[in-house]
Amino acid sequence: MGFDVKPKFATFDMNGTLINFRINDTMREVLGDRLPAEVGDEFLRICKAYRIDECTGAYQPFHQVVARSMERALRKVGLEYREDEARAVYERIPTWGPHPGVTEALNRLAEAVPLVIITNSDTAHAVRLAENLKAPFEVIISAEEMGMYKPRLGTFDYMFDKLGVTPDELVHVSASPMYDLRSAAIMGIENKVYVDRGWEHDEHWLGYERITDIADLPVLFGLPRP
């Protein structure tokens, strides 16, 4: 387990991988009694699907991705969409913190390799969420800066150009095959890490190292356990 060559950068998806992206809990809280228990799970399932669908078309700010996906999902389950609720969900995002152990693992890893974030957040949220991680990042690349969202392949082209690297000079880390690791594989990134947090299926054929404990990440880079 580990990588044969030392990469120039370790690049990270942020939301869900490092940040505990509590959008489902937040939507339940904001919608409250308007979301009946019998349709709650279906609403969250279809809203997640609509969210990635909204990310694959022409660029729109992330608050619109949140709003449009909520609007489509609410209508799908027969409920009224309210713009103020979508705004409330979006405005809570910067308050979310890291998954347990993330800050410690990132600071440990930073001893060996520079850290980079490539995120589907807009720029203001990306900066605030990165601050919540309390770890040293060399570069933060937002969807707003790129003018597109992952899983669009152009996001990885943008990252290669911004960092001045080739795909074999990176290790990319994500908890999402759907948003990140499929695209990373297509774009030639051989060194990948899947942080399996249990909400997507393991797609081992993509050729990544799979971990379930973020504390194992520095070990993949040759660092001893503390």
Side-chain angles (χ1 to χ4, degrees):
M1 190 163 89
F3 307 112
D4 295 331
V5 295
K6 182 178 178 180
K8 289 187 176 179
F9 297 96
T11 60
F12 289 85
D13 169 61
M14 183 163 59
N15 296 331
T17 301
L18 304 177
I19 290 290
N20 184 5
F21 196 67
R22 298 182 56 252
I23 197 162
N24 282 356
D25 291 342
T26 300
M27 287 191 293
R28 283 189 188 275
E29 291 164 6
V30 169
L31 292 169
D33 293 341
R34 286 217 314 120
L35 185 65
E38 59 269 21
V39 300
D41 289 347
E42 174 63 9
F43 165 75
L44 296 175
R45 184 193 70 80
I46 197 67
C47 192
K48 179 180 179 180
Y50 282 140
R51 200 158 54 246
I52 194 169
D53 190 55
E54 291 292 331
C55 286
T56 56
Y59 176 77
Q60 55 185 326
F62 194 65
H63 71 85
Q64 291 182 7
V65 171
V66 172
R68 285 282 298 132
S69 58
M70 285 183 65
E71 180 178 16
R72 294 168 71 184
L74 285 166
R75 288 179 176 169
K76 189 78 169 177
V77 298
L79 298 174
E80 175 194 3
Y81 167 71
R82 297 177 183 173
E83 187 174 343
D84 62 316
E85 292 172 337
R87 174 60 66 170
V89 171
Y90 171 79
E91 289 178 349
R92 290 194 193 182
I93 292 174
T95 68
W96 298 339
H99 286 287
V102 162
T103 297
E104 295 79 5
L106 290 174
N107 279 282
R108 183 87 174 110
L109 184 58
E111 299 172 14
V113 62
L115 310 182
V116 173
I117 284 172
I118 177 169
T119 176
N120 277 0
S121 292
D122 55 26
T123 301
H125 279 194
V127 171
R128 289 179 63 185
L129 287 165
E131 289 172 353
N132 296 350
L133 293 170
K134 294 181 168 48
F137 290 95
E138 299 284 325
V139 180
I140 300 170
I141 303 170
S142 70
E144 182 180 355
E145 176 185 338
M146 294 185 288
M148 68 186 86
Y149 292 95
K150 298 175 294 178
R152 297 283 304 274
L153 300 181
T155 59
F156 285 89
D157 278 327
Y158 186 99
M159 181 172 68
F160 299 150
D161 290 344
K162 175 139 185 154
L163 300 179
V165 296
T166 54
D168 61 330
E169 294 175 319
L170 298 177
V171 173
H172 188 62
V173 183
S174 178
S176 178
M178 181 169 59
Y179 275 97
D180 277 77
L181 296 168
R182 295 175 195 169
S183 298
I186 291 167
M187 297 304 289
I189 300 177
E190 293 188 3
N191 293 320
K192 301 177 291 298
V193 180
Y194 173 40
V195 185
D196 188 350
R197 298 201 178 277
W199 51 65
E200 290 190 31
H201 295 295
D202 181 5
E203 299 183 12
H204 56 85
W205 54 86
L206 294 175
Y208 45 60
E209 297 277 5
R210 175 182 170 271
I211 61 174
T212 57
D213 184 348
I214 196 72
D216 289 333
L217 185 60
V219 179
L220 291 177
F221 288 78
L223 294 170
R225 287 186 176 275

